[in-house]
Amino acid sequence: LHADGRPVGEVTSGLLGPTIDKPVAMGYLPPQLAVAGMRVEAIVRGKPVLMEVSAMPFVPNRYYRGPAA
């Protein structure tokens, strides 16, 4: 939901983040709202929950890809 309460996107996947003990979701927003740091509300089990748009992946990759070819 946008700050004024109108629907603006759709959640495609969500769960409780085990390391932060907060909801984490992935979904679609219009480009003007899909900016890192933008705050929106998601409806979680019928209740509004404040969410913040983040770039994916949520954590940096730390695996070794091997030498560049």
Side-chain angles (χ1 to χ4, degrees):
L1 302 175
H2 194 271
D4 62 11
R6 64 188 158 89
V8 292
E10 184 174 347
V11 174
T12 58
S13 179
L15 53 85
L16 187 65
T19 58
I20 60 171
D21 198 33
K22 293 182 181 180
V24 177
M26 186 171 63
Y28 292 98
L29 288 172
Q32 65 271 21
L33 296 178
V35 178
M38 174 71 72
R39 293 189 178 263
V40 294
E41 283 188 343
I43 302 300
V44 178
R45 296 194 174 117
K47 297 179 184 177
V49 176
L50 188 61
M51 299 271 183
E52 182 177 324
V53 175
S54 298
M56 289 190 54
F58 298 123
V59 294
N61 296 326
R62 299 196 195 288
Y63 52 84
Y64 179 67
R65 290 184 184 240

